Amino acid sequence: MNWLLQPLEYAFMVHGLLASIIVGILCAVMGTYVVLRGMAFLGDAMAHAILPGVAIAFLLHGNLLVGAIIAAVIIALSIGFFSKGGVVKEDTAIGILFAAALSLGVALISSIQTYAVDLSHILFGNVLGVSVSDLWLTVGLGLIVLVTVVLLYKQFLVISFDPILAATLRLPAELLRNLMLVLLALTVVVSLQTVGVGLAAAMLVTPAATAYLLTRRLAPMMLVSAAIGAVSSLVGLYLSYYLNIVSGSAIVLTATGIFLLVFLFHPNRGVLWKRK
Amino acid sequence: MRLLWRGIAGGIFAACLLLAGCQPAPSRPAGMPTVLAAETFLGDIAQNVAGDRLKVETLLPVTVDPHEFQPKPQDVVKLAQCQVLIVNGLGYESWLQKTIEGIGGQRLEIVATAGLTPNPDPSGAHPEGDPHMWMDPLNTIHYVEQIRNGLSQADPAGAAAYAANAAAYIAKLQALDQWIRNRVAEVPVEKRLLVTNHDALAYFGRAYQFTIVGAVIPSITTDASPSAQQLAALIDTIRKTGAPVVFLDVGENQKLADQIAAETGVKVVADLYVESISGPGGPAPTYIDMIEHDVLVIVGALK
Amino acid sequence: MDTYPESPARLDVDNISVGYNGTSVLQNITFQIPHGARVAVVGPNGAGKSTLFKTLVGLLPLREGKIFIHGLSLGHHMDCVAYVPQREEVDWRFPVTVQDVVMMGRFGHQNWLQRPGRADREVVEKSLRQMGMEERTDRSISDLSGGQQQRVFLARALAQEPHIFLMDEPFTGVDATTQEATLALLDHLRRQHVTVLISTHDLNLAASRFDSVLLLNRRVIAFAEPKLVFTPENLSRAFGSQMLKLPDGMVLVDECCPPEDEHAHDEAHK
């Protein structure tokens, strides 16, 4: 039992655990939409595209996190705008904007003579350096996203499953889709603190992909995904403590391990699983 | 079924709140304070002052660039548990700030450069000044004094020992300084031209009359990249001044330096230890070894 | 299904034109359909049948003209019109069961934050029973055959409790069970006084089972009872060279069914 409690003697571990569990749940829930709507690329792109937002916030001596949120939201809405009506396909729009944003960010940063290490660390995340105020921010933003997802569950379900029915029911499909992108942007920014840019995309995809193999309906898929996200974070962090490896990577590797287990050993995996 | 899920969610949430609420302090061994140095050369210097009384641990592993360091849980545990933390200061450990904030707690922080007047940083990356002060052994004497004072404060019973150790080490540093002057005299002043990977040798240059011709990455942090214009300017400067060598830290990316070498015909020497000492089997296992090695490399290349 | 429309579910189409990017698919279409009527929409491929239905649901914008339902312009009466396209463009791998899909039809009757209640579940159950799918409420839709899937979407449309029911080629390419279920549905809707428009290639069916026939080929060729619509002159104007008039007066019409221009059009302009 002691091995369970020992890491908890340190405040930084407790904070890290809470933050990564919340982020794990958040990513997993939004990840459900990411996986079902084929937006995995989008999550990754958004994570990288916040770079110019952070650079500009730094130049203006503003709050880096706010800059990241604004950049992510702008990218999300731009993608929605460019791929509206199907003139440019969604993944093409993502590819273009992602590269542009990243390049803009790098150009801005290198032109700043006063380059600061803090900028790169917002990209890499530091789950072991989560302060109490960080935690409140994570909880606050996380609650906003989760509550919205719960309240708009029906609407998001219809626009994801059957766009024609959405039009028939006169749902404001465009608005809802943009709202979903904004929620995704918030989720990505919140995740940056714990697992950093490269790995936020993984936490958006892997737990949800695992849940897809285990469930047949949307609501259970979200709940199972959230559970897997939380467990991956918990176990991953403990593993990183005892094996002394980088925490963010440990979390992602745990999530991937769980996915592999399910993928290999689930009796009826795949599209046409038959449970009955 | 719904109720079950809600129950689980509620339970997890409640558990989290409980965890957040209770933060028992880590158990502290009574007796000698635990001392942690951020960088390896600091660790070595501090160990010389501590002598046999204390063991100084180091946070960074050898030859790891501090800017790229990602702390692992045990590293943070070390930080959380130490009672004395020795840092260079002047913003050199900015990567450590967030982690330290997250840990909270109390510890004695010894800032090695406190009280010294730094050069301004030409690139502006470190607003408090260029932190690489340890490259001039006479500055390091000040480091030793700071460490001696700090250790004496943490462990008053050892004050006399620390004073004696410090004095002995300072004598070695002064001898080192003299030795460097002798070595450096072998290179005529007009040939003392330094082109490095980034501006880390300013203090060394000022102390021993070397001209810093320029740096491949015109900033004192290894993460920045030069623009095309900056690279061209450096090549021009090298041609104009006739600097014969580009010096790189061990483990740094050589590509840009090789490119410059190809264009200008200079030699690339990738053997300096600046941000860290080497491992025990390497050419620079202590701070003094590190400086000696670097001086020999530089003088050897420029003679 | 006891909710009767209080006022006439009159569908009033007034000189509408619909097109994409300069080409026009439908031109000057005008007709009125009274409450509870059963209309078959026929015409060659590319005539604009699917386009008409999509316009009636509000999926496509009008270039010209107006559409009125119950005398109010389109968009006023949310969920008054149910639409079952020929091929559902849904994500078949989405994790939903039959029950989930049909329940989506009830969303129009709930406000945004409302959760489905007992009344909704009863409607869903009745709709499924009408379509013979009540045994499979918990199946994933990806587990069903094509015909079963069609019946689920018909059940969903039914669950919407619409005043106007549109079906785009419901008899094309479906199994016998589904065809019978669809015919039974038509009778059920008749009893409920729901206005029904279906498009079909089956001219015999159109002639035998429907009150009126709307013969289209980008314009309205004829709109009346079947025997008045199916004349050689009308058919000739509608089907053009697809039609052959034999010396003894018999008329042959070659109807090829695979989706062509019209549906390809729709694909490109989602």
Side-chain angles (χ1 to χ4, degrees):
Chain A
M1 237 359 230
N2 191 41
W3 61 268
L4 203 63
L5 293 175
Q6 196 201 341
L8 300 180
E9 289 177 19
Y10 300 99
F12 77 86
M13 279 300 288
V14 174
H15 294 167
L17 263 175
L18 285 175
S20 59
I21 288 176
I22 293 171
V23 165
I25 291 175
L26 199 58
C27 280
V29 168
M30 281 310 292
T32 309
Y33 293 119
V34 167
V35 163
L36 290 174
R37 293 173 63 109
M39 301 200 291
F41 188 23
L42 179 60
D44 191 26
M46 235 184 246
H48 288 91
I50 57 120
L51 198 59
V54 168
I56 293 175
F58 179 75
L59 278 173
L60 299 178
H61 301 287
N63 184 317
L64 295 184
L65 205 60
V66 169
I69 291 176
I70 294 176
V73 168
I74 291 178
I75 278 288
L77 295 178
S78 308
I79 290 169
F81 172 72
F82 279 107
S83 60
K84 188 165 69 169
V87 175
V88 175
K89 283 169 80 163
E90 197 174 77
D91 67 342
T92 307
I94 296 169
I96 293 172
L97 286 167
F98 163 25
L102 191 59
S103 307
L104 178 64
V106 170
L108 279 174
I109 285 178
S110 55
S111 76
I112 302 173
Q113 293 295 19
T114 54
Y115 175 90
V117 171
D118 293 328
L119 280 182
S120 72
H121 276 241
I122 203 178
L123 293 183
F124 292 126
N126 185 6
V127 68
L128 301 177
V130 174
S131 66
V132 177
S133 60
D134 288 337
L135 211 49
W136 281 120
L137 192 66
T138 306
V139 170
L141 285 177
L143 271 177
I144 291 175
V145 172
L146 287 175
V147 165
T148 311
V149 167
V150 168
L151 287 180
L152 295 182
Y153 178 80
K154 290 182 337 194
Q155 289 76 10
F156 282 157
L157 170 61
V158 175
I159 63 164
S160 303
F161 173 64
D162 190 350
I164 291 189
L165 180 67
T168 312
L169 293 178
R170 309 272 188 267
L171 288 179
E174 203 57 50
L175 182 67
L176 287 168
R177 184 169 156 246
N178 284 339
L179 181 58
M180 192 187 278
L181 290 173
V182 168
L183 292 179
L184 189 58
L186 287 179
T187 305
V188 166
V189 170
V190 164
S191 314
L192 290 182
Q193 282 190 90
T194 56
V195 289
V197 125
L199 308 176
M203 290 313 285
L204 277 173
V205 171
T206 312
T210 313
Y212 182 68
L213 296 177
L214 291 171
T215 57
R216 298 179 319 122
R217 303 181 62 226
L218 183 62
M221 181 177 166
M222 271 192 194
L223 288 169
V224 169
S225 184
I228 293 176
V231 165
S232 302
S233 298
L234 184 71
V235 171
L237 211 61
Y238 266 88
L239 275 177
S240 78
Y241 181 85
Y242 283 107
L243 297 177
N244 202 29
I245 54 179
V246 174
S247 305
S249 303
I251 292 174
V252 171
L253 287 173
T254 307
T256 310
I258 295 177
F259 171 77
L260 281 175
L261 279 175
V262 171
F263 183 76
L264 291 173
F265 295 112
H266 189 276
N268 303 310
R269 51 170 188 79
V271 178
L272 297 173
W273 65 66
K274 296 174 194 24
R275 279 270 217 85
K276 295 211 166 156
Chain B
M1 186 59 186
R2 264 242 169 94
L3 203 55
L4 175 66
W5 286 114
R6 292 218 179 115
I8 293 174
I12 293 178
F13 188 59
C16 289
L17 283 181
L18 270 171
L19 279 177
C22 51
Q23 291 176 19
S27 43
R28 275 188 182 188
M32 303 306 276
T34 42
V35 182
L36 186 66
E39 290 87 17
T40 53
F41 55 85
L42 274 182
D44 175 61
I45 296 170
Q47 188 65 66
N48 278 287
V49 177
D52 294 328
R53 271 188 79 83
L54 294 173
K55 174 107 173 43
V56 176
E57 300 262 6
T58 308
L59 186 60
L60 284 176
V62 291
T63 66
V64 164
D65 187 338
H67 302 113
E68 272 153 41
F69 178 63
Q70 288 220 329
K72 307 202 267 298
Q74 294 304 329
D75 299 324
V76 185
V77 167
K78 275 194 211 167
L79 269 171
Q81 284 185 324
C82 75
Q83 277 118 27
V84 179
L85 178 65
I86 306 175
V87 295
N88 184 67
L90 293 176
Y92 194 61
E93 287 91 5
S94 55
W95 49 273
L96 209 46
Q97 276 321 107
K98 194 110 207 301
T99 314
I100 293 184
E101 273 168 41
I103 300 174
Q106 296 272 49
R107 61 193 56 80
L108 173 66
E109 200 172 284
I110 301 177
V111 180
T113 52
L116 286 173
T117 316
N119 293 342
D121 168 20
S123 70
H126 286 267
E128 302 158 57
D130 180 351
H132 301 83
M133 303 193 81
W134 65 91
M135 290 310 291
D136 176 357
L138 295 179
N139 283 337
T140 311
I141 292 178
H142 184 89
Y143 280 31
V144 172
E145 289 165 352
Q146 286 289 105
I147 294 172
R148 174 198 66 203
N149 296 344
L151 289 181
S152 301
Q153 196 185 327
D155 174 31
Y162 300 141
N165 294 340
Y169 194 65
I170 288 174
K172 284 193 190 164
L173 291 176
Q174 282 160 339
L176 177 65
D177 172 64
Q178 193 51 51
W179 178 88
I180 296 175
R181 289 178 195 284
N182 294 343
R183 288 274 78 72
V184 161
E186 296 167 27
V187 181
V189 173
E190 62 275 10
K191 278 189 161 191
R192 293 186 202 164
L193 303 167
L194 286 178
V195 183
T196 56
N197 208 39
H198 67 283
D199 287 326
L201 293 180
Y203 295 98
F204 178 81
R206 192 165 76 162
Y208 303 106
Q209 287 109 44
F210 279 80
T211 315
I212 310 287
V213 169
V216 175
I217 299 170
S219 140
I220 47 186
T221 174
T222 45
D223 279 354
S225 317
S227 71
Q229 215 177 45
Q230 287 165 332
L231 211 51
L234 179 60
I235 289 176
D236 287 340
T237 313
I238 291 176
R239 287 200 178 121
K240 216 166 32 169
T241 57
V245 185
V246 174
F247 292 97
L248 298 179
D249 269 25
V250 162
E252 277 176 343
N253 188 334
Q254 259 186 259
K255 280 189 65 179
L256 283 175
D258 287 339
Q259 179 63 40
I260 294 174
E263 288 230 24
T264 55
V266 302
K267 212 164 53 150
V268 175
V269 170
D271 207 17
L272 291 186
Y273 288 84
V274 176
E275 320 261 15
S276 167
I277 59 179
S278 76
T286 69
Y287 168 76
I288 291 182
D289 289 327
M290 174 175 119
I291 300 289
E292 283 180 359
H293 167 88
D294 287 347
V295 168
L296 287 174
V297 165
I298 291 174
V299 167
L302 290 178
K303 247 198 318 216
Chain C
M1 292 276 288
D2 304 312
T3 43
Y4 286 79
E6 297 98 14
S7 44
R10 203 175 138 93
L11 177 58
D12 194 337
V13 174
D14 187 10
N15 197 26
I16 65 169
S17 298
V18 184
Y20 316 99
N21 305 335
T23 52
S24 100
V25 178
L26 292 174
Q27 196 86 351
N28 305 113
I29 308 282
T30 301
F31 58 85
Q32 287 94 36
I33 297 182
H35 164 56
R38 199 200 265 188
V39 178
V41 179
V42 301
N45 284 321
K49 306 191 288 294
S50 286
T51 307
L52 176 65
F53 282 9
K54 289 198 168 149
T55 311
L56 290 176
V57 183
L59 275 168
L60 294 172
L62 288 174
R63 273 242 195 94
E64 268 171 25
K66 287 201 171 28
I67 298 178
F68 296 97
I69 298 181
H70 295 295
L72 297 168
S73 54
L74 204 61
H76 250 271
H77 260 241
M78 196 186 76
D79 204 39
C80 186
V81 186
Y83 170 53
V84 183
Q86 183 185 14
R87 265 189 331 283
E88 288 287 345
E89 286 144 15
V90 299
D91 179 5
W92 293 107
R93 297 174 58 171
F94 211 86
V96 280
T97 59
V98 165
Q99 167 106 6
D100 293 329
V101 173
V102 180
M103 183 58 83
M104 283 186 218
R106 297 299 302 159
F107 289 171
H109 285 267
Q110 304 159 350
N111 67 40
W112 269 49
L113 301 181
Q114 199 179 336
R115 296 274 163 252
R118 194 152 57 94
D120 296 310
R121 278 192 283 276
E122 277 173 20
V123 171
V124 166
E125 202 198 307
K126 277 200 206 152
S127 306
L128 283 171
R129 196 169 310 127
Q130 173 66 41
M131 299 311 300
M133 292 295 293
E134 73 276 14
E135 295 292 306
R136 297 189 171 81
T137 46
D138 280 334
R139 296 283 219 92
S140 303
I141 50 157
S142 50
D143 284 349
L144 303 176
S145 70
Q148 290 170 329
Q149 285 166 345
Q150 175 80 345
R151 279 186 273 151
V152 169
F153 285 101
L154 287 171
R156 183 179 76 183
L158 200 54
Q160 282 177 250
E161 296 182 319
H163 298 169
I164 300 175
F165 203 116
L166 304 175
M167 292 186 239
D168 197 346
E169 301 199 28
F171 299 105
T172 308
V174 293
D175 55 65
T177 322
T178 307
Q179 282 188 2
E180 279 165 33
T182 309
L183 288 171
L185 174 65
L186 287 179
D187 292 334
H188 171 82
L189 290 172
R190 162 85 90 197
R191 288 192 292 277
Q192 301 289 324
H193 300 276
V194 175
T195 306
V196 171
L197 271 84
I198 75 157
S199 71
T200 180
H201 284 283
D202 188 340
L203 302 182
N204 279 312
L205 185 74
S208 57
R209 295 259 201 158
F210 287 79
D211 310 330
S212 349
V213 172
L214 178 64
L215 180 58
L216 271 190
N217 189 355
R218 296 173 185 263
R219 294 169 188 276
V220 178
I221 309 291
F223 178 43
E225 299 149 45
K227 65 175 193 278
L228 294 179
V229 170
F230 288 127
T231 65
E233 296 77 36
N234 284 340
L235 289 173
S236 169
R237 278 167 62 206
F239 290 94
S241 57
Q242 280 177 284
M243 196 194 80
L244 179 66
K245 191 169 168 188
L246 296 177
D248 63 359
M250 252 194 45
V251 169
L252 291 173
V253 178
D254 181 13
E255 272 291 354
C256 62
C257 293
E260 207 195 85
D261 300 287
E262 198 173 358
H263 297 290
H265 243 298
D266 302 339
E267 286 296 320
H269 295 88
K270 258 197 285 285

